[in-house]
Amino acid sequence: MSYLSGKKILLGVTGGIAAYKTTYLVRLLVKAGATVKVVMTPASREFVTPLTLSTLSKNPVLSHFTNEEDENDTWNNHVDLGLWADYMIIAPVTANTMSKMVGGTIDNLLLAVYCSAKCPVFYAPAMDLDMYKHPSTQHNFKQLESYGNHMIPAGVGELASGLSGEGRMAEPEEIVSYVEDYISDKLPLKSKSALITAGPTYEPIDPVRFIGNHSSGKMGGALAMELAHLGAQVVLIMGPSHVITNHNNIDRQNVTTAQQMYDAVHKHIDSVDIAIFSAAVADYRPVNRADQKIKKSADTLSIELVKNPDILASVGAMKLRPFLVGFALETDNELDYAFAKAEKKNTDLLILNSLRDKGAGFKKDTNKITIIDRQKNVIPFDTKSKTEVAKDIINEIIKRTS
Ligand code: CTP
């Protein structure tokens, strides 16, 4: 998943030949999960059609102060559009539009939206090499920078005039990565790394049977996605689970048994700043795994079990360890057991779930948690979606680690 996922992007298109590339730019932005609205200058409609851009963006394309296609002739509110956007990208921007942006001339909807936008504005100039080098253009770049706009520099290459040089609009992929880098640079966990255990573990009895539990991995998956969204590099050590965790910042390692989870944790634990143990690890495993399927014979069958390593406790006992977050699932005496667990496993935060709470438990999309910190503060939360719960947990981590 991209940092642009869920972001609202206003794309301004002006009248240059590079406008044809905005079809691809819109596709990339939509593919990255952004909502895209396009505002075109009247001149740009000669280079690329509003129909193409509205089809690709799945939103109406606006060019005028009033919507001439609408029977009611409604007004396209530039202020609302400017305030709607998380980011505005003007690509391509011509020398003409740039000089209007510098001078505050508003003679079309795009310029009105630009002047109303409070969000970061990026612009990708495109023009012939002599126009690009012209002192007035160079002066305008400086002016626009002084207004807080971000220039996505033009590249060097063959230009529409047939000449070759600087002035070619940055490629759509470059524009997308420029904005993604800008977003990621500002994220609160940009330079942090985290390890998460999640899901159940399966302890084999024979080739077809195992001891497991009902954990779905949803809570750990939500934590991984939220951490990644905030810029952290995440190692997600996941037991058997169907939960999807697609994000460039997530390195997912699928494991099956508690011992495999233990080994994977200790391979990575020295290099992370934060570790969250949300897995429902099987406490015991069969002493012997039968090589062949155990056949039904006697009326009773005993399977001898041996304790699995306690992964969280093993990290809690390390001399140098990351900021440590554990979970506790209890059915009774919740707070007493949770305090004891936090102490025994040496956690910085313990996330308590009680199976007595209706909104908490395995396989659900919601959770209800109480957080216990090192100073024994007890912080209760309402029942929320697991994504919202993940945000609450991460907020508490950020407060204590930054
Ligand atoms: N945990 C772990 N390794 C284990 C068992 C538990 O890392 N072998 C972690 C869990 O991921 C969780 C915390 O320890 O963060 C508490 O797990 P929980 O099952 O509530 O507690 P247990 O230690 O197993 O104790 P009990 O089952 O007796 O309540």
Side-chain angles (χ1 to χ4, degrees):
M1 196 185 275
S2 153
Y3 290 123
L4 285 163
S5 174
K7 300 285 186 254
K8 289 176 278 186
I9 308 283
L10 201 55
L11 176 64
V13 182
T14 77
I17 182 65
Y20 81 91
K21 290 189 187 172
T22 55
T23 53
Y24 193 49
L25 178 57
V26 171
R27 274 203 54 182
L28 289 179
L29 291 169
V30 170
K31 212 171 146 202
T35 303
V36 183
K37 288 189 183 176
V38 180
V39 180
M40 303 177 78
T41 60
S44 69
R45 296 162 67 108
E46 304 288 327
F47 294 93
V48 59
T49 74
L51 181 63
T52 309
L53 293 178
S54 74
T55 308
L56 293 171
S57 67
K58 302 182 182 84
N59 271 313
V61 169
L62 306 173
S63 314
H64 300 98
F65 284 100
T66 55
N67 190 345
E68 65 273 34
E69 270 121 23
D70 188 326
E71 275 177 6
N72 301 319
D73 213 16
T74 48
W75 183 50
N76 290 324
N77 190 333
H78 56 276
V79 179
D80 283 353
L81 273 170
L83 296 180
W84 169 83
D86 295 317
Y87 301 97
M88 182 171 187
I89 303 171
I90 309 179
V93 68
T94 57
N96 184 37
T97 293
M98 264 190 357
S99 94
K100 291 178 189 172
M101 286 162 70
V102 168
T105 304
I106 298 175
D107 60 2
N108 61 41
L109 181 67
L110 172 50
L111 287 159
V113 171
Y114 160 72
C115 280
S116 309
K118 283 192 176 163
C119 61
V121 176
F122 302 85
Y123 66 99
M127 61 200 76
D128 212 42
L129 77 163
D130 293 316
M131 279 172 105
Y132 198 83
K133 279 193 205 137
H134 195 278
S136 66
T137 308
Q138 294 296 322
H139 168 77
N140 287 342
F141 289 151
K142 289 201 184 99
Q143 281 302 115
L144 288 176
E145 194 187 333
S146 76
Y147 298 168
N149 298 312
H150 307 277
M151 177 165 102
I152 305 176
V156 177
E158 200 179 308
L159 302 166
S161 60
L163 298 172
S164 188
E166 201 172 10
R168 206 183 143 100
M169 187 180 87
E171 293 302 324
E173 290 88 348
E174 290 167 337
I175 295 175
V176 169
S177 0
Y178 193 97
V179 180
E180 282 178 331
D181 287 351
Y182 173 90
I183 298 172
S184 76
D185 267 357
K186 304 247 172 303
L187 293 173
L189 295 176
K190 183 188 155 22
S191 50
K192 300 278 185 194
S193 55
L195 175 147
I196 301 176
T197 69
T201 65
Y202 287 177
E203 311 299 328
I205 297 169
D206 67 14
V208 294
R209 304 179 181 98
F210 58 82
I211 296 173
N213 58 66
H214 292 299
S215 170
S216 61
K218 283 182 185 169
M219 191 63 245
L223 281 161
M225 289 300 280
E226 283 308 308
L227 283 166
H229 261 313
L230 295 177
Q233 294 296 325
V234 181
V235 179
L236 172 62
I237 299 168
M238 181 68 105
S241 162
H242 295 298
V243 167
I244 295 167
T245 48
N246 280 339
H247 195 291
N248 294 343
N249 284 11
I250 299 179
D251 167 12
R252 175 161 167 169
Q253 316 222 341
N254 292 321
V255 295
T256 305
T257 65
Q259 187 60 49
Q260 288 167 358
M261 191 173 270
Y262 178 95
D263 294 342
V265 165
H266 283 278
K267 194 168 154 204
H268 295 279
I269 199 73
D270 287 334
S271 57
V272 297
D273 305 302
I274 299 160
I276 307 177
F277 289 79
S278 66
V281 183
D283 288 329
Y284 292 89
R285 67 175 184 276
V287 173
N288 296 308
R289 174 191 182 278
D291 288 337
Q292 309 298 336
K293 187 179 169 201
I294 299 172
K295 285 293 188 192
K296 183 167 57 189
S297 50
D299 282 349
T300 59
L301 173 71
S302 298
I303 298 171
E304 195 185 350
L305 303 177
V306 61
K307 219 181 209 172
N308 269 326
D310 189 317
I311 311 170
L312 172 59
S314 72
V315 174
M318 285 166 59
K319 221 172 182 181
L320 275 178
R321 60 163 182 72
F323 185 88
L324 199 56
V325 182
F327 273 69
L329 179 63
E330 308 294 348
T331 55
D332 57 314
N333 280 332
E334 290 87 345
L335 271 180
D336 288 346
Y337 282 136
F339 280 129
K341 235 171 235 183
E343 185 94 23
K344 190 169 141 208
K345 306 204 187 194
N346 195 22
T347 56
D348 294 299
L349 292 181
L350 192 88
I351 318 299
L352 168 63
N353 296 131
S354 168
L355 271 191
R356 281 200 283 190
D357 285 322
K358 280 204 184 85
F362 290 131
K363 292 190 173 153
K364 294 215 168 103
D365 289 323
T366 57
N367 201 356
K368 176 159 176 29
I369 59 161
T370 301
I371 298 186
I372 295 167
D373 72 7
R374 239 184 149 69
Q375 288 70 41
K376 295 200 158 64
N377 293 309
V378 175
I379 313 158
F381 292 85
D382 294 334
T383 302
K384 297 181 181 184
S385 73
K386 286 190 172 164
T387 301
E388 292 304 313
V389 171
K391 284 184 183 158
D392 288 337
I393 294 171
I394 293 164
N395 269 343
E396 296 298 323
I397 296 173
I398 292 174
K399 274 191 219 161
R400 289 166 176 80
T401 53
S402 52

